[in-house]
Amino acid sequence: MKQTWTDILFLHYPVKKDVLEAHLPPNLMLDTFEGQGWVTIVSYLTKAIGIRGIPSVPMGRGIPGLNVRTYVKAGNKPGIYFFQLAIRHRVTAKLAKVLFHLPYIYLEMSLLKSEKQFHSESSRIYSLPFKCQYNVHSQASRMKHGTLGEWLLERYCFYTTNPQGKLLRCDIYHEPWIVHEVELMEVEHNNLSTVLNNSSKAINPIPHYSKQLSVHVWPLISI
């Protein structure tokens, strides 16, 4: 499968290791950077979806999506573990839940932009209320080797479990992220407390923005 994402916003939060470890399945270890655990909220648009041998299907102006993830490893292979994913497309949410055993939900949300200013918002009646307004700077670059930014972004698989609790891995491929600096104007959410069942208040996040990325997704394999 191939997907094209645009207007991708990352909000990275440090979270205590014991809080994160309590939400991981067996045989999956929390990955840390210099001993610190991290959770990231990602807002984006899906602009096209396709499968091998068939041209990608454009999604018009794009379908808004949102996910909350942390960073893990099985053996020596680092990856991502999703606590929650949402998309404003009922069929896609159902298919992803069945095919990839991911905790997807349908969610009403929007991503509006004017020049370099963006406004992303989801419905407050669901389990992932989110609102963010931000400006994107024009200069872009890749993450430097060995930095926290590279550690957070350059991940090439995700882990999940099937209904029987079996650990599964999905390998992905994409070019290295090219990111812009972001100026956050407004951030309102309680995603982390809702997903992690933790009442601790999040501190100011580290933001990254990427204009577009194409991702190739392979079938799930058992670990």
Coordinates of all heavy atoms in Angstrom, one line a residue, residues 112-176:
L112 N -7.6 23.6 8.3 CA -7.7 24.8 7.5 C -6.4 25.5 7.4 O -5.6 25.6 8.4 CB -8.8 25.7 8.0 CG -10.2 25.1 8.3 CD1 -11.1 26.1 9.0 CD2 -10.8 24.5 7.0
K113 N -6.1 26.1 6.2 CA -4.9 26.9 6.1 C -5.1 28.1 5.2 O -5.9 28.1 4.3 CB -3.8 26.0 5.5 CG -4.1 25.3 4.2 CD -3.0 24.4 3.8 CE -3.3 23.7 2.4 NZ -2.2 22.9 2.0
S114 N -4.3 29.2 5.6 CA -4.3 30.4 4.8 C -2.9 30.9 4.8 O -2.3 31.2 5.9 CB -5.3 31.4 5.4 OG -4.9 31.7 6.7
E115 N -2.3 31.0 3.6 CA -0.9 31.3 3.5 C 0.0 30.4 4.4 O 0.0 29.2 4.1 CB -0.6 32.8 3.9 CG -1.3 33.8 2.9 CD -1.0 35.2 3.3 OE1 -0.4 35.5 4.3 OE2 -1.5 36.1 2.5
K116 N 0.6 30.8 5.4 CA 1.5 30.0 6.2 C 0.9 29.7 7.6 O 1.5 29.1 8.4 CB 2.9 30.6 6.4 CG 3.6 30.8 5.1 CD 5.0 31.4 5.4 CE 5.7 31.6 4.1 NZ 7.0 32.3 4.3
Q117 N -0.4 30.0 7.8 CA -1.0 29.8 9.0 C -2.0 28.6 8.9 O -2.8 28.5 7.9 CB -1.8 31.0 9.5 CG -2.3 30.9 11.0 CD -2.8 32.2 11.5 OE1 -4.0 32.5 11.5 NE2 -1.9 33.0 12.1
F118 N -2.0 27.7 9.9 CA -2.8 26.5 9.9 C -3.7 26.5 11.1 O -3.3 26.9 12.2 CB -1.9 25.3 9.8 CG -1.1 25.2 8.6 CD1 0.0 25.9 8.4 CD2 -1.5 24.3 7.6 CE1 0.7 25.8 7.2 CE2 -0.8 24.2 6.4 CZ 0.4 24.9 6.2
H119 N -4.9 25.8 11.0 CA -5.8 25.6 12.1 C -6.3 24.2 12.0 O -7.0 23.8 11.0 CB -6.9 26.6 12.1 CG -7.9 26.4 13.2 ND1 -7.8 27.2 14.4 CD2 -8.9 25.6 13.4 CE1 -8.7 26.8 15.2 NE2 -9.4 25.9 14.6
S120 N -5.9 23.3 13.0 CA -6.4 21.9 13.0 C -7.3 21.7 14.2 O -6.9 22.2 15.3 CB -5.2 21.0 13.1 OG -5.6 19.7 13.1
E121 N -8.4 21.1 14.0 CA -9.4 20.9 15.1 C -10.2 19.7 14.9 O -10.6 19.3 13.8 CB -10.3 22.1 15.2 CG -11.2 22.1 16.4 CD -11.9 23.5 16.6 OE1 -11.7 24.4 15.8 OE2 -12.7 23.6 17.6
S122 N -10.5 19.0 16.0 CA -11.3 17.8 16.0 C -12.5 18.0 17.0 O -12.5 18.9 17.8 CB -10.5 16.5 16.5 OG -10.2 16.6 17.8
S123 N -13.5 17.2 16.8 CA -14.7 17.3 17.6 C -14.5 17.0 19.1 O -13.7 16.1 19.4 CB -15.8 16.4 17.1 OG -16.9 16.4 17.9
R124 N -15.1 17.8 20.0 CA -14.9 17.6 21.4 C -15.8 16.5 21.9 O -15.6 16.1 23.1 CB -15.2 18.9 22.1 CG -14.1 20.0 21.8 CD -14.4 21.3 22.6 NE -13.4 22.3 22.3 CZ -12.3 22.4 22.9 NH1 -12.0 21.6 23.9 NH2 -11.5 23.4 22.6
I125 N -16.7 16.0 21.2 CA -17.6 15.0 21.7 C -17.0 13.6 21.6 O -17.5 12.6 22.1 CB -18.9 15.0 21.0 CG1 -18.8 14.6 19.5 CG2 -19.6 16.3 21.1 CD1 -20.2 14.4 18.8
Y126 N -15.8 13.4 20.9 CA -15.2 12.1 20.8 C -14.0 12.0 21.7 O -13.8 12.9 22.5 CB -14.7 11.9 19.3 CG -15.9 11.8 18.4 CD1 -16.4 12.9 17.7 CD2 -16.4 10.5 18.1 CE1 -17.5 12.7 16.8 CE2 -17.5 10.4 17.2 CZ -18.0 11.5 16.6 OH -19.0 11.3 15.7
S127 N -13.3 10.9 21.6 CA -12.2 10.7 22.6 C -10.9 11.4 22.3 O -9.9 11.2 23.0 CB -12.0 9.2 22.7 OG -11.6 8.6 21.5
L128 N -10.8 12.1 21.2 CA -9.6 12.8 20.8 C -9.8 14.3 20.6 O -9.5 14.7 19.5 CB -8.9 12.1 19.6 CG -8.2 10.8 19.8 CD1 -7.7 10.2 18.5 CD2 -7.1 10.9 20.8
P129 N -10.3 15.0 21.5 CA -10.5 16.4 21.3 C -9.1 17.1 21.1 O -8.2 16.9 21.8 CB -11.1 16.9 22.6 CG -10.7 15.9 23.6 CD -10.6 14.6 22.9
F130 N -9.1 18.0 20.1 CA -7.8 18.6 19.7 C -8.0 19.9 19.0 O -8.9 20.0 18.1 CB -7.0 17.6 18.8 CG -5.7 18.2 18.3 CD1 -4.6 18.2 19.1 CD2 -5.6 18.6 17.0 CE1 -3.4 18.7 18.6 CE2 -4.4 19.1 16.5 CZ -3.3 19.1 17.3
K131 N -7.2 20.9 19.3 CA -7.3 22.2 18.6 C -5.9 22.8 18.6 O -5.3 22.9 19.6 CB -8.3 23.1 19.3 CG -8.5 24.5 18.6 CD -9.5 25.3 19.3 CE -9.7 26.6 18.7 NZ -10.8 27.4 19.4
C132 N -5.4 23.2 17.4 CA -4.1 23.8 17.3 C -4.1 24.8 16.2 O -4.5 24.5 15.1 CB -3.1 22.7 17.0 SG -1.4 23.3 17.0
Q133 N -3.5 25.9 16.5 CA -3.3 27.0 15.4 C -1.8 27.3 15.4 O -1.2 27.5 16.5 CB -4.1 28.2 15.8 CG -4.0 29.3 14.7 CD -5.0 30.4 15.0 OE1 -5.9 30.3 15.7 NE2 -4.8 31.6 14.3
Y134 N -1.2 27.3 14.2 CA 0.2 27.5 14.2 C 0.7 28.1 12.8 O 0.0 28.1 11.8 CB 0.9 26.1 14.3 CG 0.5 25.0 13.3 CD1 1.2 24.7 12.2 CD2 -0.7 24.3 13.5 CE1 0.8 23.8 11.3 CE2 -1.1 23.3 12.7 CZ -0.4 23.1 11.5 OH -0.8 22.1 10.7
N135 N 1.9 28.7 12.9 CA 2.5 29.3 11.7 C 3.7 28.4 11.3 O 4.4 27.9 12.2 CB 3.0 30.7 12.0 CG 1.9 31.7 12.2 OD1 0.8 31.5 11.6 ND2 2.1 32.7 13.0
V136 N 3.9 28.2 10.0 CA 5.0 27.4 9.5 C 6.1 28.4 8.9 O 5.8 29.2 8.0 CB 4.5 26.4 8.5 CG1 5.7 25.7 7.9 CG2 3.5 25.5 9.1
H137 N 7.3 28.2 9.3 CA 8.4 29.0 8.7 C 8.8 28.4 7.4 O 8.7 27.2 7.2 CB 9.6 29.0 9.7 CG 9.3 29.7 11.0 ND1 10.2 29.9 12.0 CD2 8.1 30.3 11.4 CE1 9.7 30.6 13.0 NE2 8.4 30.8 12.7
S138 N 9.4 29.2 6.5 CA 9.6 28.8 5.1 C 10.9 27.9 5.0 O 10.9 27.0 4.2 CB 9.8 30.0 4.2 OG 10.9 30.8 4.7
Q139 N 11.9 28.1 5.9 CA 13.1 27.3 5.8 C 12.9 25.9 6.2 O 12.2 25.6 7.3 CB 14.2 27.9 6.6 CG 15.6 27.2 6.4 CD 16.7 28.0 7.1 OE1 16.4 29.0 7.7 NE2 17.9 27.4 7.1
A140 N 13.4 24.9 5.4 CA 13.2 23.5 5.7 C 14.5 22.7 5.7 O 15.4 23.1 4.9 CB 12.2 22.9 4.8
S141 N 14.6 21.7 6.4 CA 15.8 20.9 6.4 C 15.5 19.5 7.0 O 14.5 19.2 7.5 CB 16.9 21.5 7.3 OG 16.4 21.6 8.7
R142 N 16.5 18.6 6.8 CA 16.4 17.2 7.4 C 16.9 17.3 8.8 O 17.7 18.2 9.2 CB 17.2 16.2 6.5 CG 16.6 16.0 5.1 CD 17.4 14.9 4.4 NE 16.8 14.6 3.1 CZ 17.3 13.8 2.2 NH1 18.4 13.1 2.5 NH2 16.7 13.6 1.1
M143 N 16.5 16.3 9.6 CA 17.0 16.2 10.9 C 18.5 15.8 11.0 O 18.9 14.9 10.2 CB 16.2 15.1 11.7 CG 14.7 15.5 11.9 SD 14.5 16.8 13.2 CE 14.4 18.3 12.1
K144 N 19.3 16.4 11.8 CA 20.7 16.0 12.0 C 20.8 14.7 12.7 O 20.0 14.3 13.6 CB 21.4 17.1 12.7 CG 21.5 18.5 12.0 CD 22.3 19.5 12.8 CE 22.4 20.8 12.1 NZ 23.2 21.8 12.9
H145 N 21.8 13.9 12.2 CA 22.1 12.6 12.8 C 22.4 12.7 14.3 O 23.1 13.5 14.7 CB 23.2 11.9 12.1 CG 23.6 10.6 12.6 ND1 22.7 9.5 12.4 CD2 24.6 10.1 13.3 CE1 23.2 8.4 13.0 NE2 24.4 8.8 13.5
G146 N 21.7 11.8 15.0 CA 22.0 11.7 16.4 C 21.1 12.6 17.3 O 21.2 12.6 18.5
T147 N 20.3 13.4 16.7 CA 19.5 14.4 17.4 C 18.1 13.8 17.9 O 17.7 12.7 17.3 CB 19.2 15.6 16.6 OG1 18.4 15.3 15.4 CG2 20.4 16.3 16.1
L148 N 17.5 14.4 18.8 CA 16.2 14.0 19.2 C 15.2 14.0 18.1 O 14.4 13.1 17.9 CB 15.6 14.9 20.4 CG 14.2 14.6 20.8 CD1 14.0 13.2 21.4 CD2 13.8 15.7 21.8
G149 N 15.3 15.0 17.2 CA 14.4 15.1 16.1 C 14.5 13.9 15.2 O 13.5 13.3 14.7
E150 N 15.7 13.4 14.9 CA 15.9 12.3 14.0 C 15.4 11.0 14.7 O 14.7 10.2 14.1 CB 17.4 12.1 13.7 CG 17.6 10.9 12.8 CD 19.1 10.4 12.8 OE1 19.7 10.4 13.9 OE2 19.6 10.2 11.7
W151 N 15.6 10.9 16.0 CA 15.2 9.7 16.8 C 13.6 9.6 16.8 O 13.1 8.6 16.7 CB 15.7 9.9 18.2 CG 15.4 8.7 19.1 CD1 16.1 7.6 19.3 CD2 14.2 8.6 20.0 NE1 15.5 6.8 20.2 CE2 14.3 7.4 20.7 CE3 13.1 9.4 20.2 CZ2 13.4 7.0 21.6 CZ3 12.2 9.0 21.2 CH2 12.3 7.8 21.8
L152 N 12.9 10.8 16.8 CA 11.5 10.8 16.9 C 10.9 10.5 15.5 O 9.9 9.8 15.4 CB 11.0 12.2 17.3 CG 11.2 12.5 18.8 CD1 11.0 14.0 19.1 CD2 10.3 11.7 19.7
L153 N 11.5 11.0 14.4 CA 10.8 11.0 13.1 C 11.2 9.8 12.3 O 10.4 9.3 11.5 CB 11.1 12.3 12.4 CG 10.5 13.6 13.0 CD1 10.9 14.8 12.1 CD2 9.0 13.5 13.2
E154 N 12.5 9.4 12.3 CA 13.0 8.4 11.4 C 12.7 7.0 11.9 O 13.6 6.3 12.4 CB 14.5 8.7 11.0 CG 14.7 10.0 10.4 CD 14.0 10.3 9.1 OE1 13.5 9.3 8.5 OE2 13.8 11.4 8.8
R155 N 11.5 6.6 11.8 CA 11.0 5.3 12.3 C 10.4 4.6 11.1 O 9.6 5.1 10.3 CB 10.0 5.4 13.4 CG 10.5 6.2 14.6 CD 10.9 5.3 15.7 NE 11.8 5.9 16.7 CZ 12.1 5.4 17.8 NH1 11.7 4.1 18.1 NH2 12.9 6.0 18.7
Y156 N 10.8 3.3 10.9 CA 10.4 2.6 9.7 C 9.6 1.3 9.9 O 9.7 0.4 9.1 CB 11.7 2.3 8.9 CG 12.3 3.6 8.4 CD1 13.2 4.3 9.1 CD2 11.8 4.2 7.2 CE1 13.8 5.5 8.7 CE2 12.3 5.4 6.8 CZ 13.3 6.1 7.5 OH 13.8 7.3 7.1
C157 N 8.9 1.3 11.0 CA 7.9 0.2 11.2 C 7.0 0.7 12.4 O 7.3 1.6 13.2 CB 8.6 -1.1 11.6 SG 9.3 -1.2 13.2
F158 N 5.8 0.0 12.5 CA 5.0 0.2 13.7 C 4.6 -1.2 14.2 O 4.7 -2.2 13.4 CB 3.8 1.0 13.4 CG 2.7 0.4 12.5 CD1 1.8 -0.5 13.0 CD2 2.6 0.9 11.2 CE1 0.9 -1.1 12.1 CE2 1.6 0.3 10.3 CZ 0.8 -0.6 10.8
Y159 N 4.3 -1.3 15.5 CA 3.9 -2.5 16.1 C 2.5 -2.5 16.6 O 2.0 -1.4 16.9 CB 4.8 -2.8 17.3 CG 6.3 -3.1 17.0 CD1 7.2 -2.1 17.0 CD2 6.7 -4.4 16.6 CE1 8.6 -2.3 16.7 CE2 8.0 -4.6 16.3 CZ 9.0 -3.6 16.3 OH 10.3 -3.8 16.0
T160 N 1.8 -3.6 16.5 CA 0.5 -3.7 17.0 C 0.2 -5.2 17.5 O 1.2 -6.0 17.4 CB -0.5 -3.3 15.9 OG1 -1.8 -3.2 16.5 CG2 -0.5 -4.3 14.8
T161 N -1.0 -5.4 17.9 CA -1.3 -6.8 18.3 C -2.6 -7.2 17.7 O -3.5 -6.3 17.5 CB -1.4 -6.9 19.9 OG1 -2.4 -6.0 20.4 CG2 -0.1 -6.7 20.5
N162 N -2.8 -8.5 17.4 CA -4.1 -9.0 16.9 C -5.0 -9.3 18.1 O -4.6 -9.1 19.3 CB -3.9 -10.2 16.0 CG -3.3 -11.4 16.8 OD1 -3.4 -11.5 18.0 ND2 -2.8 -12.4 16.0
P163 N -6.3 -9.6 17.8 CA -7.2 -9.9 18.9 C -6.8 -11.0 19.9 O -7.2 -11.0 21.1 CB -8.5 -10.3 18.2 CG -8.4 -9.6 16.9 CD -7.0 -9.7 16.5
Q164 N -5.9 -11.9 19.5 CA -5.4 -12.9 20.4 C -4.2 -12.4 21.2 O -3.6 -13.2 22.0 CB -5.0 -14.2 19.5 CG -6.2 -14.9 18.9 CD -6.8 -14.1 17.8 OE1 -6.1 -13.6 16.9 NE2 -8.1 -14.1 17.7
G165 N -3.7 -11.2 21.0 CA -2.6 -10.7 21.7 C -1.3 -10.9 21.1 O -0.2 -10.6 21.7
K166 N -1.2 -11.5 19.8 CA 0.0 -11.8 19.2 C 0.7 -10.5 18.7 O 0.0 -9.6 18.1 CB -0.3 -12.7 18.0 CG 1.0 -13.0 17.1 CD 2.0 -13.8 17.8 CE 3.1 -14.2 16.9 NZ 4.2 -14.9 17.6
L167 N 2.0 -10.3 19.0 CA 2.7 -9.1 18.5 C 3.0 -9.1 17.0 O 3.4 -10.2 16.5 CB 4.0 -9.0 19.3 CG 4.8 -7.7 19.1 CD1 4.0 -6.4 19.5 CD2 6.1 -7.7 19.8
L168 N 2.6 -8.1 16.3 CA 2.8 -8.0 14.9 C 3.6 -6.7 14.6 O 3.6 -5.7 15.3 CB 1.4 -7.9 14.2 CG 0.4 -9.0 14.5 CD1 -0.9 -8.6 13.9 CD2 0.9 -10.3 14.0
R169 N 4.3 -6.8 13.4 CA 5.1 -5.6 12.9 C 4.7 -5.3 11.5 O 4.5 -6.2 10.7 CB 6.6 -5.9 13.0 CG 7.4 -4.7 12.8 CD 8.9 -5.0 12.8 NE 9.3 -5.6 11.5 CZ 10.2 -6.6 11.4 NH1 10.8 -7.1 12.5 NH2 10.5 -7.1 10.2
C170 N 4.6 -4.0 11.2 CA 4.4 -3.6 9.8 C 5.6 -2.7 9.4 O 5.8 -1.6 10.0 CB 3.1 -2.8 9.8 SG 2.7 -2.2 8.1
D171 N 6.3 -3.1 8.4 CA 7.4 -2.3 7.9 C 6.9 -1.3 7.0 O 6.0 -1.5 6.2 CB 8.5 -3.2 7.2 CG 9.1 -4.2 8.2 OD1 9.4 -3.7 9.3 OD2 9.4 -5.3 7.8
I172 N 7.5 -0.1 7.0 CA 7.2 1.0 6.1 C 8.5 1.6 5.6 O 9.6 1.4 6.1 CB 6.4 2.1 6.9 CG1 7.2 2.7 8.0 CG2 5.1 1.5 7.5 CD1 6.6 3.9 8.7
Y173 N 8.3 2.3 4.4 CA 9.5 3.0 3.8 C 9.0 4.4 3.4 O 7.9 4.6 2.9 CB 10.0 2.2 2.6 CG 11.0 3.1 1.9 CD1 12.3 3.2 2.4 CD2 10.7 3.8 0.8 CE1 13.3 4.0 1.7 CE2 11.6 4.6 0.1 CZ 12.9 4.7 0.6 OH 13.8 5.5 0.0
H174 N 9.9 5.3 3.7 CA 9.7 6.7 3.1 C 11.1 7.4 3.1 O 12.0 7.0 3.7 CB 8.7 7.5 4.0 CG 9.1 7.6 5.4 ND1 10.1 8.4 5.9 CD2 8.6 7.0 6.5 CE1 10.2 8.3 7.2 NE2 9.3 7.5 7.6
E175 N 11.1 8.4 2.3 CA 12.3 9.3 2.3 C 12.5 10.0 3.6 O 11.5 10.1 4.4 CB 12.2 10.3 1.1 CG 12.2 9.7 -0.3 CD 13.5 9.0 -0.6 OE1 14.6 9.5 -0.2 OE2 13.5 8.1 -1.4
P176 N 13.7 10.4 4.0 CA 13.9 11.1 5.2 C 13.0 12.3 5.3 O 12.8 13.0 4.3 CB 15.4 11.5 5.2 CG 16.0 10.5 4.3 CD 15.0 10.1 3.3

